[in-house]
Amino acid sequence: MKHKKRRIYIIGGSGFLGKETGKLLQKYNYDVLIADLPFTKNNCPDGMPFIPLDITNLNSINNLEVRKNDIIVNLAAKQYHNKISYFKRQEWFDEVNLNGAVHLMNKAINSHASGYIFFSSDMVYGIPNKIPVLENNRLNPVAEYGFSKIKAEKALINKAKNTIPLTIFRPRLISG
């Protein structure tokens, strides 16, 4: 019997990090699927299936065909390089960074996915009072983006308890 490749969904995968992660995972024989907003399809790497997805829309999430043992990597985020709402800024960031992340976690749990990987941000630490910044440093964001990521981390940790393995990364600014 032929061994089936493990499927990995890279949500928000049409950006620099998603494309590079997808290419690397393919080299290690993973079946990579890119899921992102429909208008980003042209940014999807060759050879990787593209699935239009809006993580703020439950119907869109429900149409995502996550199977048992799939892994979800959530790179989707509203960030400062997007056009930011002047009013209700926290709600604007929370729409994707918190609510979308929770929608994906619910999908992962209900589908019996084997893991959920969430890309948070070092901005959850705010202005560090010492260097190097360590994982257990105090969380003290100074703006809405960092607050949205802290809220997402807490919600995901709470949902993951006794249900699904959760990994949270807090990278520095990633650019390519």
Side-chain angles (χ1 to χ4, degrees):
M1 187 168 161
K2 188 176 178 181
H3 175 66
K4 213 174 197 183
K5 285 192 206 181
R6 173 160 277 172
R7 290 188 343 161
I8 297 182
Y9 279 95
I10 302 178
I11 312 300
S14 293
F16 171 74
L17 181 60
K19 289 190 277 191
E20 294 304 312
T21 301
K23 290 175 194 174
L24 182 63
L25 288 169
Q26 278 188 328
K27 285 182 184 177
Y28 286 96
N29 207 31
Y30 287 94
D31 187 9
V32 178
L33 299 101
I34 301 293
D36 211 330
L37 293 168
F39 69 86
T40 67
K41 182 177 183 173
N42 291 337
N43 295 334
C44 185
D46 292 336
M48 289 183 213
F50 179 85
I51 300 152
L53 178 70
D54 178 354
I55 65 172
T56 66
N57 180 310
L58 287 176
N59 288 329
S60 185
I61 293 278
N62 289 336
N63 289 331
L64 192 63
E65 295 180 14
V66 177
R67 299 188 304 222
K68 183 178 181 180
N69 296 325
D70 288 352
I71 297 171
I72 293 177
V73 178
N74 182 5
L75 303 178
K78 281 189 176 177
Q79 302 174 22
Y80 286 108
H81 68 268
N82 300 112
K83 184 178 178 188
I84 299 172
S85 173
Y86 185 76
F87 297 102
K88 298 184 178 183
R89 289 173 64 118
Q90 190 63 61
E91 291 87 351
W92 184 83
F93 280 106
D94 286 351
E95 180 183 31
V96 169
N97 302 350
L98 168 61
N99 302 331
V102 169
H103 294 328
L104 280 173
M105 175 59 93
N106 289 334
K107 180 67 174 186
I109 292 168
N110 293 335
S111 302
H112 304 286
S114 64
Y116 185 101
I117 300 170
F118 179 67
F119 273 68
S120 184
S121 169
D122 70 325
M123 293 184 78
V124 298
Y125 297 111
I127 300 168
N129 54 8
K130 65 180 181 174
I131 302 292
V133 176
L134 303 175
E135 181 179 351
N136 61 353
N137 278 28
R138 185 170 70 103
L139 304 180
N140 187 30
V142 293
E144 296 90 349
Y145 175 75
F147 281 111
S148 71
K149 289 295 191 171
I150 283 179
K151 290 192 282 186
E153 286 185 21
K154 289 179 181 177
L156 296 174
I157 288 167
N158 187 49
K159 287 193 163 287
K161 286 182 182 166
N162 303 315
T163 60
I164 188 171
L166 170 66
T167 302
I168 296 174
F169 288 105
R170 293 180 180 152
R172 299 274 305 144
L173 177 65
I174 299 170
S175 62

